[in-house]
Amino acid sequence: MKQNGFFGQWGGAYIPEILHQTFAELTIALRQAQNDPNFWQEYLELMSTYSCRPTPLTFAENLTKHFGGAKIYIKREDLNHTGAHKANNVMGQGLLVKRMGKKRVIAETGAGQHGMATATMAAKFGLECTIYMGEVDVLRQRPNVFWMEKMGATVIPVQDGSKTLKDAINEAFRDWVTNVDSTHYVLGTACGPAPFPEMVSWFQSIIGTEARKQILARHGKLPARVYACVGGGSNAMGIFQGFLYSDEVQLVGVEAGGKGLGSGMHASRLCGHDASPGVAQGYKTMFLQNSDGQMRETHSVAAGLDYVGVSPILSDLAEKGRVRFESATDDEVMTALDLTMRMEGIIPALESTHGFVQAFKEAPELSPDDAIIINQSGRGDKDIFTIAHAFNDPSWKEFIIARAKEYS
Ligand SMILES: *Cc1c(COP(=O)(O)O)cnc(C)c1O
């Protein structure tokens, strides 16, 4: 990264004057942490005692036989505390907050997964915690809201605009501007103004560092290809960093194809031709926007991929041709999920399953001497409502109706 927070032409920090000092302090805290080996040691210790790290690399033997090409390995970020790679980011930021001596954290959340992870971190570190969430999302994601509140966080439903993620982001920034001295904003992915993209990617690099060691030990050489789903881009940046400077390893990011790239109902920014460069939410990247710069509605069956922007680091790596971008549709995701559950007894999150779709398309064209790695960013238990609905499971419907009757 360049000192000014740009990656090629992407990134930067387009922030209000009042936040300049805070961003300067945050950048200094980050640099000090990066230059202090004890910090990373403390981070590794925390992640191994609180979040099951290192996470395993699982050989998917049955899927490998089924597709008859490359050996398929799965990096198991689903085994983190709270069920996804998000723990890597929030715990790292928690340690930074401790160093900076702040007592309060805030965060935005869409589906609630990042809010959950932040609430656990705040509980563990004894910080006051406020989570901003669009009112529509609060209604849709009651289980996550319930747990956040049980862990002591205050969840504030945002009534503005479309009452979803982008409105929650705006409200979180408003809070931060008012409470800069006491408060740190725990941004959830490798987006936003510098230094967030670099900082979040740094904490997530723990995935790629482990995966590189693990595949060399198991397979004796580097993988031919590495696949990761891309919402904001943090889990992808996490695993890609283990292989970024090994040119023989192809890196493949898979975005939400929703109802298809031609449908207008998707969240593909770097794959396809619907996105354009823009500056919003404090940084420059490829956004799904109309010609006036108004953000467009996005769609994905996976709530965590349903976002208008993308990491500026990935916009740069796409432009340089180092990462190839593909997309997977909602229907393809359901088929791949079904197969993975039955053949391996593993339930990937709907987000993660996007990476599986593309890996399954390409595995047969590779040789059994090749290995590929799929980053399973999270577990699918949280998706039971969506998955049971998509499979049109009749007994699930009966169950929901019976539970509802208990309350009426
Ligand atoms: C939040 C989430 C994502 C999307 O975020 P990235 O920053 O793109 O990694 C992907 N998978 C899971 C399981 C998530 O919870």
Side-chain angles (χ1 to χ4, degrees), residues 31-59:
R31 293 285 171 257
Q32 283 174 347
Q34 286 171 325
N35 291 325
D36 176 0
N38 293 329
F39 181 86
W40 196 255
Q41 209 45 52
E42 188 185 1
Y43 176 61
L44 292 179
E45 174 79 21
L46 175 66
M47 296 312 286
S48 68
T49 54
Y50 192 63
S51 187
C52 293
R53 298 214 75 95
T55 60
L57 183 71
T58 301
F59 177 45

Side-chain angles (χ1 to χ4, degrees), residues 84-86 113 189 229-235 304-305 349 351-352 377-378:
H85 69 294
K86 289 187 166 71
Q113 295 303 117
T189 187
C229 66
V230 180
S234 69
N235 88 87
L305 303 188
E351 290 83 1
S352 320
S377 51

